[in-house]
Amino acid sequence: MTGVRIGVVTFPGSLDDVDAARAVRLAGGEVVPLWHADAELPAVDAVVLPGGFSYGDYLRAGAIAARQPLMRAVVDRARAGMPVLGICNGFQVLCEAGLLPGALTRNSHLHFRNRDQALLVERADTAWTSSYDQGQTIVVPVKNGEGRYVGSDADLDRLEGEGRVVVRYAGGNPNGSSRDIAGVTSADGRVVGLMPHPEHAVEELTGPSVDGLGFFTSVLQGALSA
Amino acid sequence: MPRVVVDVVLKPEISDPQGQAVLGALGRLGHQGVTGVRQGKHFVLDVEGTPDEAELREIAETLLANPVIEDVELHLDGA
């Protein structure tokens, strides 16, 4: 144990909060379970928004979760530099909350896609990817129906110009995402969102690799060296 | 009670695979005259008193639609 406290938020309809908490523990962190309806965010060093179908994906995926009381506190703390990781539905929540640019919408082929996915790590200097090497390829599961990352060409050009694409799909794009973008970061590199699931690739027994653990060790190392 | 309608549709530059699937089905049903389909959302709001346009526009643009990918149309006359 490192003594680093990582909050994991549960929304109604979250599915992967238990796996995210397990990944935090395997990396050596202390898990602080958080409930979406709480107004106060307790003392934590970082927050993970897990995958699932918060509020049944009603209205738009992540739209209602992004406007819950706890998320207002998360947004405020993130703007002050607290690291936040959004995985799958958590990425959708971060885009809806305005912490990350762009939006996620229905897969171009309209099918739910569930497979092991190669990703190219393009940024190894964010709060959540410092355990990787730039240019490294990792394999983690991807599973989504509304995972197509979109934005206007001008916004995407600016995003790429600022080097804010963290991971890109390699060996095939599972959902039609613009420019093969799988995950992006905030301007300060503290907030990261991605559609694939690093928390499902942390143990040989259950994952296609243990490549996902690096997201969680990255933020722990960052908190310890801060 | 006054009724306000909000229509939300994907921006033209965002591809709409659901609309394209509907278009494909129309073609298979023999409706060759339809050349494009865009699928959207239609909200019907019952409002107390006189509808406040500024407030309703805020509701439409900050919750009902995501301005990154969607355009919104407000119909204060409920039509």
Side-chain angles (χ1 to χ4, degrees), chain A residues 75-93:
Chain A
V75 168
D76 287 345
R77 292 276 294 280
R79 294 225 156 101
M82 180 185 71
V84 180
L85 176 67
I87 303 167
C88 195
N89 190 221
F91 185 17
Q92 296 163 335
V93 172

Side-chain angles (χ1 to χ4, degrees), chain A residues 18-29 198-200 202 212-213 216-217 220:
Chain A
V18 175
D19 276 29
R22 185 169 173 76
V24 167
R25 279 194 297 272
L26 284 169
E199 84 285 15
H200 293 332
V202 295
L213 199 57
F216 304 93
T217 56
L220 293 180

Side-chain angles (χ1 to χ4, degrees), chain A residues 59-60 63 67 96 102-110 148 150-152, chain B residues 10 13-18 21 41 43 62-66 68-70:
Chain A
L59 188 60
R60 295 174 305 276
R67 291 158 176 86
E96 282 283 345
L104 294 140
T105 187
R106 195 63 60 99
N107 292 352
S108 55
H109 43 64
L110 296 176
R148 177 170 58 110
V150 295
S152 70
Chain B
L10 282 170
E13 64 267 31
I14 304 293
S15 79
D16 176 13
Q18 295 180 102
K41 298 191 184 92
F43 299 89
T62 61
L63 179 64
L64 301 184
N66 178 348
V68 175
I69 54 170
E70 292 169 326

